[in-house]
C-alpha cells in the first residue's frame, strides 16, 4: 500500500468513521463527549453527526433520569439501518444468519448439506439458501450491506473452492465469492473459520478485553486466528495461522501434508473420538464411535479412558500453544472450536500441561482461556467481517455520506 | 492507543514526515515528483520542503545532464544533518558505530568486555565507550540524534539488565537505558539483537524487497525478528520472537527454561562446535574445540563429520522455520547470525530439509534466504532504531520544524 499525504477529503472520511465507531463503543453518548473522545472540535463533530443522522445511521435518543429540565439528547447507532448476513459453510451443514448493524442475529437458518455432495450442486444450493433466508426474513434486499462467509479451509482455497488434501476436488472451477457477489450485488467477504471465530470471540466471547490474542480452533482439524492490534493478521497470501501443520513430534505419524507428527495428526475431535473408541473396543465395551456429547459426559464423570486421552491431547496442544506464545507474545490465547465443549475436562489438564512447558519469561504473562463454545460463532464472526468493514469505511456502504451537502461548520475541518 | 480524529496539526506532522521519507526513498527528487507521490498539492509540498531546507534536513542539488537550459533542482536528504549511534552489546564485546542520517557508518570502535566481567563495571564501561567514540570522532555531541542498542536477550530483560538463565545475575539493579539516557540526554532505544539485525536485513541486507519477513538469528542461541508491514512486531510485552524455546522434540534434551527439546538445545553455534569436537575425539583427531572459522573451512571441503552435523542441525532448523512459515505466512525468511557464515554448506541441506517438511499450500510461496553475515549487523540495525524513529517523527528530533513560521501556502493543508 502506497503511503499518501493526509488531504482534507481523507481526513473527513477518517473522522466520520471514527465518530461512528465512538458512538458504537461509547453510546448512547453526547456530541460533547464525542468531541472530547475524538479530540475534534464541537462544530466538526456536529457536522459529522448531522450527516450520520440524515442518512439514518445514527439516531437521537434520551437516556437516564433528570429531575428537572430537559433530558440530554444522546446519540446511538440505528442498528436496523442496514442488515448483514453471516454464513458458516461447514463440512456438513450451512448455517445462515441475518444480523443487525451491531451483529445481533435477527433470523437464523440451518441446512444439512455436505462438501461431499458435489452432485447436489453445492454452490447453487448456497445461493438458494441466501435467497430463502432473505425472503423468509422479509428484509428489503436493498438494505443488505454485505455477506460474510466462514469456511473451514485456508482462505486461498476457499476463495476458489479449491480444496486441499483430497476433499471436494470437483470444485476446482467454482468461484463461490464471485458467484454470490454477482447474484446479490453486495460486498462478499470470505475467510477461514478460525479467523471469523476469532472475531466472534473479540466481539461477543472471551477476548473482548484483548487487542492481541490468538484463537486456537480445535475441531475436525486445528487452525488459528491471529488478532494483532484488534485486526486479523492474515499473512502475505492470506493463509497465516495454519498451525494444524505445526510439527509436534518429528517422528510422529505421517500427515496428509507430507510431513510427520503435525498437530492435526495428534489433536482433533475425530481423533479423540477414535482413540476413545479404541479404548472401548479393548475394554470390550460396545456401541461404536462415541459422539462428542457422549465423550463430554463421560469426561465429566471421570471415565478413565476418556480422561486419559484428553490428557494426552492436552500435552500436544500445550506444546503448540507454548510455541505460539513464545513466538507471538500475545495478551491471551483463547482455545475454541468443538473441542472446547469439553469445558473443565479439557481446561484442567491443558493448563497443567501448559504450566510445565512455559518459559519463565512468559509464564505469568499470557492468559489462556477456554471459549464458551457457541454453535453460532462462525456465522456471527462472518457477519463481523462485513460489520467491521462498515465501521472502518461507512461511506463505502452509504456513498451519499461522502457526497452530502457540507454545512457551514465542516469548512474548518 | 486511543484513536483520535485527524486535525490540521496532526495532518501537517504526518505530511512533513511523509515528504522526508519520500525524499529518502526516491531522492534526489523534484518538488513536482513529491507532490505526485504524496498526492499532496504542490503549494503544500513546497511549504514543507521550505521548512526542511531551513532546518538543514534537506538540501537542494542538481543531477543528470541537460543539453540546454538549467539543470533541474532536486532535493536530497542532508545526511550529515544529524549523527546516530548504534551499539552492539554482545556477550563478550561491545561494538560502537556512529552513522549518518541514512545509517552509513562514519566511525567504528570495538572493545572486548564480557557480560561476566561484572567487577569491571560493565555499565560504566559502556558509558565510557560512548564518550570515547564521540570524542574521537570529533562530532558535536549536540548533533547526536539518539543511541540505539542491540542486546542478545529478550527486550524486557535488556531494559533492566536482568538476565535469564543465570548469566549476569549481579546486574539486576542496573537500568542501562536510563543510565545512558541520563548521561547523554538523547533518546535511547534498546532492543533484542534479532530485532535489530532484522532491521539491518531490511535496510542493507537480504530483506530490502520484503514488507513481511522473519529474520532467524542463529548464534549462541536462536532468536527471531518479526517484521510485519515493514515494522518490527514485538508482542504485548516486547518479547515476541523467542523461538529458541520452540519445542522441536518433546522428548529431547532438558532445556534451561524447564521444557524439553527446545530449538536452542538442538541448534546453535556452540552446539555445532561441540558436536564436531565429539566426532573429532571419537576419530582420535586432536586440537580441542574447533573455531567456527575452522568448521566453515572443513564444511567447505566436505569433511564428513562436519557435513553430517550441519545436516542434523538443518533438519531441526527446518522444522522451526516450517512452523513459523505455516503460522505467519511471511513473504520471506532470512536466516542469519554467526551460523550463516557457513554459507553454502548450510544453505543446501537447509533448503533440502525445508522442501521435505513444507506444507504444499506454502511450498512455493515463501522465500528462504541466507543472510550475508555481517559483523556490523547488530550495531547498524541498532542505529536504525533511531533513524526509523527520526523518519517517522522528525519534529521530535528538530522541534523547530513544528514551530517554524508558516508560509502563506500552508494555510490550505
Amino acid at each position: 500500500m502506497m503511503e499518501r499525504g493526509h488531504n482534507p477529503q481523507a481526513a473527513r472520511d477518517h473522522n466520520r468513521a471514527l465518530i461512528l465507531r465512538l458512538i458504537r463503543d461509547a453510546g448512547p453518548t453526547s456530541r460533547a463527549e464525542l468531541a472530547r473522545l475524538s479530540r475534534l472540535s464541537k462544530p466538526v463533530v456536529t457536522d459529522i453527526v448531522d450527516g450520520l443522522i440524515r442518512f439514518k445511521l445514527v439516531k437521537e435518543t434520551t437516556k437516564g433520569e433528570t429531575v428537572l429540565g430537559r433530558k440530554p439528547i444522546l446519540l446511538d447507532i440505528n442498528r436496523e439501518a442496514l442488515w448483514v448476513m453471516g454464513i458458516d459453510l461447514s463440512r456438513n451443514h450451512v448455517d445462515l444468519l441475518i444480523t443487525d448493524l451491531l451483529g445481533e442475529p435477527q433470523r437464523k437458518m440451518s441446512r444439512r448439506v455436505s462438501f461431499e455432495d458435489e452432485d447436489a450442486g453445492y454452490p447453487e444450493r448456497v445461493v438458494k439458501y441466501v435467497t430463502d433466508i432473505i425472503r423468509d426474513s422479509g428484509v428489503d434486499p436493498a438494505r443488505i450491506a454485505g455477506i460474510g462467509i466462514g469456511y473451514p479451509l485456508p482462505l486461498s482455497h476457499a476463495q476458489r473452492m479449491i480444496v486441499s488434501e483430497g476433499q471436494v476436488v470437483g470444485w476446482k472451477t467454482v468461484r463461490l465469492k464471485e458467484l454470490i457477489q454477482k447474484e446479490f450485488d453486495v460486498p462478499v467477504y470470505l475467510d477461514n473459520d478460525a479467523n471469523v471465530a476469532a472475531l466472534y470471540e473479540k466481539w461477543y466471547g472471551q477476548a473482548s478485553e484483548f487487542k492481541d490474542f490468538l484463537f486456537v480452533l480445535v475441531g475436525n482439524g486445528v487452525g488459528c486466528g491471529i488478532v494483532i492490534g484488534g485486526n486479523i493478521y492474515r499473512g502475505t497470501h492470506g493463509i497465516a495461522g495454519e498451525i494444524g501443520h505445526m510439527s509436534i513430534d518429528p517422528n510422529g505419524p505421517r500427515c496428509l501434508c507430507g510431513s510427520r507428527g503435525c498437530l492435526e495428526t495428534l489433536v482433533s475431535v475425530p481423533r479423540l473420538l477414535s482413540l476413545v473408541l479404541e479404548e472401548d473396543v479393548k475394554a470390550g465395551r460396545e456401541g461404536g464411535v462415541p459422539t462428542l456429547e457422549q465423550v463430554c459426559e463421560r469426561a465429566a464423570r471421570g471415565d478413565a479412558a476418556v480422561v486419559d486421552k484428553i490428557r494426552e491431547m492436552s500435552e500436544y496442544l500445550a506444546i503448540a500453544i507454548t510455541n505460539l506464545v513464545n513466538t507471538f507474545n500475545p495478551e491471551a490465547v483463547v482455545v475454541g472450536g468443538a473441542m472446547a465443549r469439553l469445558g473443565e475436562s479439557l481446561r484442567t489438564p491443558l493448563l497443567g500441561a501448559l504450566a510445565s512447558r512455559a518459559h519463565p519469561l512468559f509464564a505469568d504473562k499470557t492468559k489462556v482461556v477456554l471459549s464458551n463454545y457457541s454453535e453460532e460463532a462462525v456465522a456471527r464472526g462472518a457477519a463481523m467481517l462485513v460489520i467491521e468493514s462498515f465501521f472502518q469505511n461507512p461511506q463505502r456502504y452509504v456513498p451519499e455520506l461522502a457526497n452530502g451537502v457540507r454545512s457551514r461548520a465542516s469548512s474548518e475541518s
Side-chain angles (χ1 to χ4, degrees), chain A residues 46-67:
Chain A
T46 299
D47 183 48
I48 289 171
V49 167
D50 285 352
L52 294 171
I53 291 176
R54 194 177 322 135
F55 295 104
K56 298 193 169 53
L57 298 179
V58 163
K59 59 185 181 189
E60 290 186 321
T61 179
T62 52
K63 186 200 170 193
E65 304 202 353
T66 46
V67 178

Side-chain angles (χ1 to χ4, degrees), chain A residues 41-44 46-47 406-413:
Chain A
S41 70
K42 282 176 89 170
V44 168
T46 299
D47 183 48
R406 293 176 62 194
S407 77
R408 191 176 31 79
S410 69
S411 60
E412 87 157 40
S413 69

